[in-house]
Amino acid sequence: MNVNGTAYRSIWEQPDGRAIQVIDQTHLPRRFVVATLSTLDAVAHAIIQMQVRGAPLIGITAAYGLALALQVDARDTALQAAATRLAATRPTAVNLAWALQRATQALTPLRPEARAAAAWRLAGELAAADVAENAAIAQTGLTLLEQHAKRRRGEPVRVLTHCNAGWLAAVDWGTALAPIYLAHDQGLPVHVYVDETRPRNQGLLTAWELAAHGIPHTLIVDNAGGLLMQQGVIDLCVVGADRVAANGDVANKIGTYLKALAAHANGVPFYVAVPDATFDAACPSGAAIPIEARSGDEVRQVQGLDHAGDVATVNLLPSTAAVSNPAFDITPAALVTGLVTQHGVLRPQHWQDHV
Ligand code: MRU
């Protein structure tokens, strides 16, 4: 996607094959900063600190992290240690474990001397596949937006989204935002209501992406969505996912569940856009999905620009204040109207018949 007229992806290779570059999302939307990651340590740190974030992107970044680790030491023990370290960076998005499992399965049978190059190639293939799959999700979602557009008779289709499931969260396109980009590019008017998504404010990333693409949108606080749905201002909700369990329960950013409840109560369709790597057949239900608990400081503090335009961190509470900061929640399958996938729109309880 374009940033000030230049085409970017969220992650790309250095030509010498010894580092990757990423858009450091901890600086957005205030500043556009590119970070170079050339070691396993740097990659693990980038995932934990959320310089890179979003289920698909952390999977691809981890695959490159493994390749960088193997450039230093490609023996069996080093391969296992690097994979274990990367897998532990964030627990909820299954894309991370999926990418590492794909890589270790492909690399373990190889001679150590062949592993680093093969790992780098594989990471590139996973990145390319992510882009192609999200383009297919865009097509599937477009059909839904077109149905709503007919009812709206030329007025913009009004979509509510939570967190950031745009191109910053994947390699390109994104998942939930992919159909919105395609619709806009094809002249179908859309208006996106963007949940702020406290405490990390990923909604600001979504608003930044949409603004860069010229898509009309409105940022709302997390508690506003229910009222808007009650008032008939939202035609449909579309969000991303970090894991879909075998029974169709969906883990996504904290607050998703409340939006799904409000959508259900108000007859608003609630869609979840999902690439194949986010499905976890081994996980029976949402109750078995590990929920990441992040630092309470993310709740106690806010960051922004001060009057001089410098980045400032402000304490809302003393550092001793008791805080709980679960980063994800579970939306039961019964609240999900459909899963928007490269295979079409699937009923959540029956995704395994198609994936
Ligand atoms: O904590 P984050 O910002 O990594 O959480 C991201 C989300 O919850 C996204 O909605 C999800 O990963 C889908 S991204 C296509």
Side-chain angles (χ1 to χ4, degrees):
M1 292 287 163
N2 282 350
V3 180
N4 297 328
T6 304
Y8 273 95
R9 286 185 170 175
S10 61
I11 185 168
W12 61 97
E13 298 176 357
Q14 287 278 63
D16 65 3
R18 304 199 73 81
I20 49 168
Q21 291 193 300
V22 297
I23 298 169
D24 183 343
Q25 300 187 27
T26 59
H27 292 288
L28 286 174
R30 297 177 295 275
R31 286 195 302 140
F32 185 80
V33 176
V34 170
T36 302
L37 311 176
S38 58
T39 63
L40 171 64
D41 278 352
V43 168
H45 177 266
I47 297 173
I48 291 168
Q49 294 303 320
M50 295 173 66
Q51 288 176 295
V52 290
R53 45 148 297 283
L57 179 58
I58 59 177
I60 303 297
T61 310
Y64 276 112
L66 197 63
L68 292 169
L70 295 174
Q71 289 176 4
V72 178
D73 185 347
R75 288 171 294 181
D76 286 359
T77 46
L79 171 59
Q80 272 315 321
T84 303
R85 167 128 187 247
L86 288 162
T89 50
R90 295 195 73 189
T92 304
V94 72
N95 307 57
L96 183 63
W98 172 88
L100 290 167
Q101 200 184 350
R102 285 280 298 263
T104 42
Q105 261 169 14
L107 300 170
T108 305
L110 303 182
R111 286 176 297 114
E113 312 82 78
R115 284 177 180 164
W120 189 263
R121 255 195 323 275
L122 178 66
E125 285 162 15
L126 294 179
D130 178 82
V131 178
E133 184 171 6
N134 291 340
I137 287 173
Q139 289 290 348
T140 303
L142 179 65
T143 57
L144 295 172
L145 294 174
E146 284 169 343
Q147 288 162 18
H148 284 277
K150 282 198 191 107
R151 276 175 237 143
R152 293 284 293 152
R153 299 171 187 277
E155 292 298 313
V157 176
R158 300 154 304 178
V159 183
L160 182 141
T161 193
H162 190 72
C163 194
N164 171 263
W167 68 269
L168 287 169
V171 178
D172 209 348
W173 283 101
T175 56
L177 296 193
I180 291 166
Y181 285 124
L182 187 60
H184 176 82
D185 291 352
Q186 297 198 354
L188 188 155
V190 281
H191 189 103
V192 186
Y193 287 87
V194 181
D195 283 348
E196 183 185 24
T197 317
R198 275 277 287 155
R200 292 287 303 213
N201 294 332
Q202 286 92 334
L204 305 188
L205 304 176
T206 297
W208 179 83
E209 278 192 26
L210 294 172
H213 206 82
I215 297 180
H217 61 280
T218 305
L219 187 77
I220 55 174
V221 296
D222 291 323
N223 293 331
L227 176 72
L228 296 185
M229 291 189 231
Q230 208 172 42
Q231 291 176 332
V233 173
I234 305 297
D235 298 308
L236 71 164
C237 300
V238 189
V239 301
D242 290 83
R243 194 184 297 230
V244 178
N247 72 344
D249 290 351
V250 170
N252 192 48
K253 180 52 55 194
I254 191 79
T256 302
Y257 173 41
L258 285 176
K259 295 299 134 59
L261 282 170
H264 188 71
N266 290 285
V268 174
F270 191 90
Y271 291 100
V272 184
V274 190
D276 284 2
T278 306
F279 287 108
D280 187 359
C283 183
S285 74
I289 298 176
I291 301 290
E292 179 180 10
R294 292 190 63 87
S295 164
D297 285 344
E298 293 183 347
V299 179
R300 292 186 198 98
Q301 301 175 336
V302 285
Q303 265 201 349
L305 296 180
D306 63 17
H307 291 303
D310 295 322
V311 177
T313 300
V314 176
N315 291 318
L316 301 172
L317 292 163
S319 61
T320 51
V323 158
S324 165
N325 186 17
F328 299 92
D329 63 21
I330 305 297
T331 300
L335 297 180
V336 177
T337 310
L339 302 174
V340 183
T341 74
Q342 63 172 338
H343 314 283
V345 181
L346 309 181
R347 282 191 295 153
Q349 295 85 348
H350 299 290
W351 66 261
Q352 291 192 75
D353 298 342
H354 306 271
V355 177

Coordinates of all heavy atoms in Angstrom, one line a residue, residues 50 53-56 90 162-165 169 175 202 240-242 252-253 328, ligand 1:
M50 N 6.1 -5.1 20.0 CA 5.1 -4.7 19.0 C 5.6 -3.6 18.0 O 4.8 -2.8 17.5 CB 3.8 -4.3 19.7 CG 3.2 -5.5 20.4 SD 1.7 -5.2 21.4 CE 0.5 -4.7 20.2
R53 N 3.4 -6.2 14.6 CA 2.3 -6.8 15.3 C 1.2 -7.2 14.3 O 1.4 -6.9 13.1 CB 1.7 -5.7 16.3 CG 1.6 -4.3 15.7 CD 0.5 -3.6 16.2 NE -0.8 -4.2 15.9 CZ -1.4 -4.2 14.7 NH1 -0.9 -3.6 13.7 NH2 -2.6 -4.8 14.6
G54 N 0.2 -7.8 14.8 CA -0.8 -8.4 13.8 C -0.4 -9.8 13.6 O 0.7 -10.1 13.3
A55 N -1.4 -10.7 13.6 CA -1.2 -12.1 13.6 C -0.3 -12.6 12.3 O 0.7 -13.2 12.5 CB -2.5 -12.9 13.6
P56 N -0.8 -12.2 11.1 CA 0.0 -12.6 10.0 C 1.5 -12.1 10.0 O 2.4 -12.8 9.7 CB -0.8 -12.1 8.7 CG -2.1 -11.8 9.3 CD -2.0 -11.4 10.7
R90 N 5.0 -14.2 21.7 CA 3.5 -13.8 21.9 C 2.7 -15.1 21.8 O 2.8 -15.8 20.8 CB 3.1 -12.7 20.9 CG 3.8 -11.4 21.1 CD 3.1 -10.3 20.3 NE 1.9 -9.8 21.0 CZ 1.0 -9.0 20.5 NH1 1.2 -8.5 19.3 NH2 -0.1 -8.6 21.1
H162 N -12.4 -3.2 14.5 CA -11.8 -3.1 15.8 C -10.3 -3.4 15.6 O -9.9 -4.2 14.8 CB -12.4 -4.1 16.7 CG -12.0 -3.9 18.2 ND1 -12.4 -2.8 18.9 CD2 -11.2 -4.7 19.0 CE1 -11.9 -3.0 20.2 NE2 -11.2 -4.1 20.2
C163 N -9.4 -2.7 16.3 CA -8.0 -3.0 16.3 C -7.4 -2.6 14.9 O -8.0 -1.7 14.2 CB -7.7 -4.5 16.6 SG -5.9 -4.8 16.9
N164 N -6.4 -3.2 14.5 CA -5.8 -3.0 13.1 C -5.7 -4.3 12.5 O -4.8 -5.1 12.9 CB -4.5 -2.2 13.1 CG -3.9 -2.2 11.8 OD1 -3.0 -3.0 11.5 ND2 -4.3 -1.3 10.9
A165 N -6.5 -4.6 11.5 CA -6.3 -5.8 10.6 C -6.2 -5.3 9.2 O -6.7 -5.9 8.3 CB -7.5 -6.7 10.8
A169 N -0.8 -5.1 9.6 CA -0.9 -6.3 10.4 C -0.5 -7.5 9.6 O -0.4 -8.6 10.2 CB -2.3 -6.4 11.0
T175 N -6.4 -8.1 6.4 CA -7.5 -9.1 6.3 C -8.8 -8.4 6.3 O -9.4 -8.2 5.3 CB -7.4 -10.2 7.4 OG1 -7.4 -9.5 8.7 CG2 -6.1 -11.0 7.2
Q202 N -4.5 0.5 18.5 CA -4.2 0.1 17.2 C -5.2 0.8 16.2 O -4.9 0.8 15.0 CB -4.4 -1.4 17.1 CG -3.2 -2.2 17.7 CD -3.5 -2.6 19.1 OE1 -4.2 -1.9 19.8 NE2 -2.8 -3.6 19.6
G240 N -10.5 -8.7 12.3 CA -9.5 -9.8 12.0 C -9.6 -10.8 13.1 O -10.5 -10.8 13.9
A241 N -8.6 -11.7 13.1 CA -8.6 -12.8 14.1 C -7.1 -13.2 14.4 O -6.3 -13.1 13.5 CB -9.3 -14.0 13.7
D242 N -6.9 -13.6 15.6 CA -5.6 -14.1 16.0 C -5.6 -15.7 16.0 O -4.5 -16.3 16.0 CB -5.1 -13.5 17.3 CG -4.8 -12.1 17.1 OD1 -5.7 -11.3 17.2 OD2 -3.6 -11.7 16.9
N252 N -9.6 -12.5 19.2 CA -9.1 -11.3 18.5 C -8.9 -10.2 19.6 O -9.1 -10.5 20.8 CB -10.1 -10.8 17.5 CG -9.5 -9.7 16.6 OD1 -8.4 -9.8 16.1 ND2 -10.3 -8.6 16.4
K253 N -8.4 -9.1 19.2 CA -8.1 -8.0 20.2 C -9.1 -7.8 21.2 O -10.3 -7.8 20.9 CB -7.8 -6.7 19.3 CG -7.4 -5.5 20.1 CD -6.3 -5.7 21.0 CE -5.0 -6.3 20.3 NZ -4.0 -6.8 21.3
F328 N -6.4 -10.0 24.5 CA -7.3 -10.6 23.5 C -8.5 -11.1 24.2 O -8.5 -11.2 25.5 CB -6.6 -11.7 22.8 CG -5.4 -11.3 22.0 CD1 -4.2 -11.3 22.6 CD2 -5.5 -10.8 20.7 CE1 -3.0 -10.9 21.9 CE2 -4.4 -10.4 20.0 CZ -3.2 -10.4 20.6
Ligands
MRU1 O1 -1.8 -7.1 19.7 P1 -1.9 -7.0 18.2 O2 -1.9 -5.5 17.7 O3 -0.9 -7.8 17.5 O4 -3.3 -7.6 17.8 C1 -3.7 -7.6 16.5 C2 -5.1 -8.1 16.3 O5 -5.8 -8.5 17.3 C3 -5.6 -8.2 14.9 O6 -7.0 -7.9 14.9 C4 -5.4 -9.6 14.4 O7 -4.0 -10.0 14.6 C5 -5.7 -9.8 13.0 S1 -4.6 -9.0 12.0 C6 -4.9 -9.3 10.3

